């Protein structure tokens, strides 16, 4: 009986190790980018993270940053320009965010978010309700 259990455990460990090693070498560049988008979306949707540092730049909501309600704070000691750009290219709104301040936004798919300095994204948490 001990031999059967030992063999079963060995097979489980071998299968688990084989499953964990994923060979990506046969995938094209476009397939790898699509896989990365899927992994990024799954990470953003999980409860395993509390914040994400986003470098200065422009980001398409629904592609680079998931749509949803977010709290944004400066990741530096400098003031941050935050621009929300509509799909037609016009600014919907813009903010100057000083260090230590935060901004709650609802980012819709198709908008572009622009940051002059790095920012930290956290899921919006209602102080009154206590959930994201």
């Amino acid at each position: 009986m001990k031999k059967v259990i030992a063999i079963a455990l060995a097979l489980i460990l071998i299968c688990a190790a084989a499953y964990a090693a994923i060979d990506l070498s046969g995938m094209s560049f476009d397939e790898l980018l699509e896989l990365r988008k899927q992994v990024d979306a799954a990470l953003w949707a999980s409860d395993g993270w509390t914040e994400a540092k986003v470098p200065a730049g422009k980001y398409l909501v629904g592609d680079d940053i998931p749509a949803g309600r977010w709290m944004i704070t400066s990741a530096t000691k400098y003031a941050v320009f935050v621009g929300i750009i509509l799909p037609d290219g016009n600014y919907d709104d813009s903010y100057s965010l000083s260090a230590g301040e935060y901004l709650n936004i609802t980012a819709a798919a198709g908008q572009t978010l622009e940051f002059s300095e790095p920012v930290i994204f956290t899921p919006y948490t209602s102080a009154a309700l206590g959930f994201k």
Side-chain angles (χ1 to χ4, degrees), residues 42-92:
L43 286 171
W44 278 94
S46 76
D47 289 330
W49 68 280
T50 57
E51 65 183 35
K53 186 174 180 180
V54 177
K58 289 185 178 183
Y59 299 92
L60 181 61
V61 177
D63 191 15
D64 302 316
I65 295 175
R69 188 125 166 96
W70 302 104
M71 185 170 72
I72 300 172
T73 56
S74 175
T76 68
K77 61 182 180 179
Y78 304 107
V80 177
F81 168 78
V82 177
I84 301 173
I85 305 168
L86 296 170
D88 65 6
N90 291 315
Y91 278 91
D92 181 33

Side-chain angles (χ1 to χ4, degrees), residues 76-131:
T76 68
K77 61 182 180 179
Y78 304 107
V80 177
F81 168 78
V82 177
I84 301 173
I85 305 168
L86 296 170
D88 65 6
N90 291 315
Y91 278 91
D92 181 33
D93 220 337
S94 61
Y95 305 90
S96 178
L97 187 62
S98 298
E101 293 181 334
Y102 65 91
L103 174 67
N104 290 319
I105 65 164
T106 300
Q111 290 178 328
T112 299
L113 300 179
E114 178 181 13
F115 309 111
S116 63
E117 296 287 333
V119 295
I120 297 174
F121 267 68
T122 54
Y124 171 75
T125 303
S126 169
L129 301 176
F131 63 86

